[in-house]
Amino acid sequence: MKPSLLIALCATMLGCHFGQRIEDFDVAHQPGGATAEVRQASGTIISGELLAVSDSNIIMLWSGAVTGVPYARTRSMSFEILHIRLEHGERPSPDQLERLRLVSRFPQGVTPELRPRLLATYHQNAIMSVNQ
Amino acid sequence: MRRSSRTAYTLLSFAAVVATVGCIFRGVRVAPVGRAENTEVLSPVKVHLLNGETAVFEDGLHIARDTVRGAGLLYGISQRDRAGGISVSAVPLDSVAAMESFSGYTNAPATVAVSTLVVGGSIVAGAALFKALFGSCPTIYSDSAGTPVLEAEGFSYSISPLLERRDIHRLRAEPDSHGVLTLDVRNEALETHYINQLELLSVTRAAEEYVLPDASEHALAVREVRPISRAVDRAGNDVMATLARDDGLVFHSDARTIAQVNAGDLDDWIDLDVPVSRGTDSVALLFNLRNSLLNTVLLYDEMLSAQGAHAVDFEAKDLNNIADMVRIGRWYGGHMGMHVSVRRGVQWDTVASVPDAGPIAWREVAAVVPVPPGDTLHVRLSFVADQWRIGKIGAAMRFRHPQPETFEPAAVVEANGTPADSARTSVATLDARYLETTPGQRFTLRFTTGASPRDSVRTFLLATEGYYTEWVRGSWIRQAEAAGEQSFAASDSTLAQTVRHWRDVAPTFEAQFARTRIATGALP
């Protein structure tokens, strides 16, 4: 088959629709937050549910533990659902921060009221740091 | 050709083909939900409680006073997946920490062209387009012995993907002897139409029943239709003779009412009396109506043309921004349409709203209203002054919501007679595929309904869903540059100004409107 025919066929089959559909946007339909993937300075990759975001760090559920991850201590941080990728300790822009907040488990943040309940649920006394 | 350059060629070619055949760009918007009373969201919403629990309302929610209401599932602090939620229908607002909504959108400005069809038709070229003043949405015609009969206009005020809506229209058209019902769909306006679905509904009814859509866009079968016994407008005119019969007399707002409109008092109203039997708990009010061109003036002269070149941005950005559209939509919905109230003692309770119908095709629509104790139902129809043209009002004492049989189009045929299978696929189901039409284009829909039943009668309705974008005229830009561009503010002052402007231009505008419909040629 000629490349041009193949291309035309592909374009037709694709239906020429790009982007996400709400039906496939899992965060809209389930209680959990988006998935965060973090590559630490050591090269280790950790992945888990995004619980909350702030100016200085994210809080995620990693390996069954509520874990704080400062932006400054990561090699990269990616949130595939929003196509956001932060490199070399980069902090999210205000716009990115707002978008991340809205797809996190707790957009209100880990408030003083919520914190003890959250930690008790995961049998922790304090939020774990990735460096620990 | 070397492999790397061949790969590059292939990628470039792919991009070119994609750009040529056209693409729909879509995405999901996530936005905070405010706490204002009567906030209504129709897309999925997540509600985060102060105690860490989360409620997911897949079909949206409504905020009534101090409570979030909807059909939701409540999850504990550690539940992540959708399984295992507990049903919840109400959440106190004071226990809510945050809410966000999720909605899909189609990026119309980024959409190059829909790939499914280039519909044949007579495109009116160049300057003629810019003289056109006609503004509406897809017009639907049937063929009556060679004469096109206007049946309906679809999604009249869906001027953005975020306002895409489904409406249904009673058809006079009947299937032919082979059981095929044929309709002609036209783009007669300076607009691009994005049609998501065209579906035929068939309601089997008893001989004494009459079928029409209700204000919630569902089929309603009514019987025992009685005339109203009194109708008086705000100016004190007895409008019974105008509204009691379909005799060509049409209600317009009184000039004195229009002249008195100001930002704090925009409305006209009609008070109706309907005789009812004691014990009746609800009736269906039946209307034959259409909008005046006031809505069109609002869209053209206030929303778009006054902004000049910025109207392009307004259509591309503001009308596709959820927060802006919620603001504009709330303002629009609060004023436009027809609000139906019933009197309980000295108080008027708003019980229904009849959505805007469009300014071209007369629409039959019903509103089901509760009946307080007594032998006379007192109804008030409120609306922005001169927004409606009303031909007839009646009341049905009995009604039911039937379950219609639905039909996808069996065929879509271009104006030159060529079958258009991809277009048929695009409009057959409610999904991410749209059929795009531009001014002057038309196509024919054929539905195979089968033979009529021998022991009953069928009424057909057409469901339309989609949206459209208005073309920004060159004259608007020139006029706005000369007069000074003004951004659009969704406010009561703007609406009052529009009504005053409408009062001045109505006669000329209506004449021009009728004159400048874009020709699409005769029915095939």
Side-chain angles (χ1 to χ4, degrees):
Chain A
M1 187 181 287
K2 289 183 178 179
S4 55
L5 281 177
L6 182 64
I7 292 160
L9 182 62
C10 287
T12 304
M13 288 173 66
L14 282 171
C16 288
H17 288 87
F18 293 97
Q20 296 161 308
R21 298 190 315 165
I22 192 161
E23 296 88 340
D24 305 325
F25 201 83
D26 288 341
V27 175
H29 311 289
Q30 64 189 26
T35 298
E37 187 174 284
V38 177
R39 181 183 288 268
Q40 296 176 269
S42 63
T44 304
I45 296 174
I46 63 174
S47 176
E49 180 188 356
L50 180 64
L51 297 180
V53 296
S54 73
D55 288 340
S56 58
N57 71 345
I58 67 167
I59 295 174
M60 60 189 286
L61 189 64
W62 174 53
S63 197
V66 180
T67 306
V69 185
Y71 304 114
R73 295 184 190 169
T74 64
R75 187 182 293 180
S76 69
M77 199 178 270
S78 63
F79 308 89
E80 191 179 341
I81 195 168
L82 295 180
H83 307 297
I84 291 176
R85 184 176 175 85
L86 308 171
E87 300 276 3
H88 308 298
E90 179 189 4
R91 293 182 182 210
S93 67
D95 174 61
Q96 289 174 325
L97 196 62
E98 176 63 7
R99 291 167 61 205
L100 289 169
R101 187 181 72 77
L102 291 172
V103 298
S104 67
R105 175 64 185 244
F106 304 113
Q108 70 270 38
V110 179
T111 61
E113 182 182 1
L114 178 59
R115 188 185 179 95
R117 283 179 57 88
L118 183 63
L119 293 176
T121 300
Y122 293 100
H123 311 291
Q124 292 175 242
N125 295 321
I127 293 175
M128 191 174 82
S129 165
V130 288
N131 291 333
Q132 289 176 353
Chain B
M1 188 182 292
R2 286 188 308 159
R3 187 180 179 84
S4 57
S5 59
R6 191 170 193 157
T7 302
Y9 164 79
T10 302
L11 288 172
L12 280 171
S13 301
F14 181 80
V17 169
V18 164
T20 303
V21 297
C23 310
I24 296 289
F25 295 85
R26 65 189 172 207
V28 176
R29 282 202 178 88
V30 191
V33 176
R35 292 164 176 260
E37 186 173 355
N38 289 327
T39 295
E40 182 142 18
V41 183
L42 301 176
S43 58
V45 180
K46 279 167 77 170
V47 176
H48 304 271
L49 307 189
L50 293 167
N51 66 6
E53 294 177 335
T54 305
V56 179
F57 292 85
E58 278 275 358
D59 298 321
L61 53 71
H62 177 75
I63 298 177
R65 295 186 180 171
D66 54 359
T67 307
V68 173
R69 297 189 184 279
L73 290 172
L74 184 66
Y75 297 89
I77 195 169
S78 62
Q79 287 177 279
R80 186 176 183 195
D81 299 324
R82 63 177 78 183
I86 301 167
S87 290
V88 61
S89 59
V91 177
L93 207 50
D94 61 8
S95 69
V96 173
M99 297 184 280
E100 70 271 355
S101 66
F102 300 82
S103 58
Y105 69 90
T106 303
N107 186 355
T111 300
V112 181
V114 178
S115 54
T116 47
L117 175 71
V118 178
V119 188
S122 55
I123 302 291
V124 182
L129 286 178
F130 290 92
K131 289 178 186 169
L133 193 64
F134 185 74
S136 191
C137 32
T139 37
I140 319 290
Y141 293 82
S142 60
D143 180 20
S144 175
T147 303
V149 175
L150 179 61
E151 292 272 3
E153 53 183 308
F155 43 88
S156 305
Y157 295 105
S158 301
I159 56 172
S160 142
L162 295 177
L163 294 178
E164 179 176 318
R165 54 169 284 189
R166 176 184 174 92
D167 44 34
I168 65 173
H169 309 270
R170 186 178 195 279
L171 299 176
R172 284 166 287 179
E174 296 281 343
D176 62 16
S177 57
H178 303 289
V180 176
L181 192 148
T182 302
L183 296 170
D184 200 43
V185 182
R186 303 178 182 184
N187 184 338
E188 301 179 275
L190 281 179
E191 302 158 354
T192 301
H193 297 159
Y194 298 90
I195 305 171
N196 197 334
Q197 189 183 30
L198 296 167
E199 184 179 55
L200 189 71
L201 312 179
S202 168
V203 175
T204 302
R205 61 176 173 85
E208 66 272 25
E209 285 185 318
Y210 191 82
V211 175
L212 72 172
D214 69 10
S216 304
E217 309 299 345
H218 295 103
L220 190 74
V222 303
R223 63 174 78 189
E224 291 183 27
V225 178
R226 296 181 187 171
I228 52 177
S229 60
R230 174 178 168 269
V232 177
D233 72 5
R234 184 175 182 180
N237 301 306
D238 181 344
V239 291
M240 260 295 286
T242 304
L243 297 176
R245 289 180 298 279
D246 251 339
D247 52 5
L249 292 175
V250 175
F251 171 84
H252 297 64
S253 288
D254 189 281
R256 291 168 292 175
T257 305
I258 301 171
Q260 288 169 5
V261 161
N262 61 66
D265 185 3
L266 296 159
D267 284 353
D268 188 7
W269 64 66
I270 303 171
D271 286 342
L272 307 173
D273 285 354
V274 180
V276 293
S277 305
R278 287 200 174 271
T280 302
D281 60 3
S282 55
V283 300
L285 296 172
L286 315 180
F287 303 97
N288 188 20
L289 44 68
R290 66 171 175 81
N291 286 115
S292 70
L293 291 170
L294 173 64
N295 297 47
T296 309
V297 167
L298 176 65
L299 174 63
Y300 283 3
D301 289 357
E302 297 297 334
M303 282 190 179
L304 296 176
S305 72
Q307 300 192 66
H310 289 121
V312 178
D313 285 341
F314 179 76
E315 283 205 292
K317 293 178 182 173
D318 297 37
L319 292 182
N320 287 283
N321 177 287
I322 288 180
D324 289 336
M325 275 316 302
V326 166
R327 180 173 50 78
I328 294 172
R330 190 173 292 156
W331 168 78
Y332 190 92
H335 291 298
M336 308 308 262
M338 179 186 288
H339 306 286
V340 183
S341 307
V342 299
R343 198 175 79 193
R344 295 178 192 275
V346 295
Q347 179 179 319
W348 290 100
D349 293 340
T350 302
V351 293
S353 290
V354 177
D356 284 332
I360 308 164
W362 287 92
R363 186 173 192 228
E364 292 177 283
V365 63
V368 175
V369 301
V371 177
D375 55 11
T376 302
L377 170 67
H378 302 285
V379 177
R380 174 165 287 181
L381 310 174
S382 309
F383 43 88
V384 170
D386 212 34
Q387 201 213 340
W388 288 97
R389 299 287 178 261
I390 308 172
K392 185 183 179 185
I393 301 175
M397 298 300 113
R398 296 179 64 188
F399 57 87
R400 66 183 175 95
H401 279 101
Q403 183 61 47
E405 184 180 1
T406 58
F407 298 93
E408 292 181 0
V412 168
V413 181
E414 295 184 25
N416 61 8
T418 308
D421 291 339
S422 61
R424 194 204 70 79
T425 306
S426 294
V427 300
T429 53
L430 202 58
D431 53 24
R433 289 170 295 189
Y434 288 77
L435 173 61
E436 178 188 310
T437 66
T438 50
Q441 295 187 314
R442 63 182 170 87
F443 59 91
T444 300
L445 282 171
R446 291 190 182 131
F447 296 93
T448 306
T449 66
S452 295
R454 292 183 178 176
D455 57 349
S456 55
V457 193
R458 290 187 297 183
T459 294
F460 293 93
L461 305 106
L462 183 71
T464 66
E465 177 157 345
Y467 66 94
Y468 68 95
T469 56
E470 192 73 28
W471 287 24
V472 175
R473 314 325 193 238
S475 60
W476 293 353
I477 295 173
R478 289 191 295 275
Q479 288 164 8
E481 282 174 349
E485 294 174 353
Q486 295 176 353
S487 59
F488 173 70
S491 71
D492 294 356
S493 300
T494 299
L495 198 47
Q497 181 182 317
T498 305
V499 175
R500 286 193 292 272
H501 176 51
W502 165 244
R503 182 189 58 187
D504 297 337
V505 302
T508 311
F509 199 82
E510 286 181 324
Q512 266 184 301
F513 183 84
R515 258 201 324 270
T516 56
R517 277 165 82 155
I518 291 175
T520 57
L523 281 167

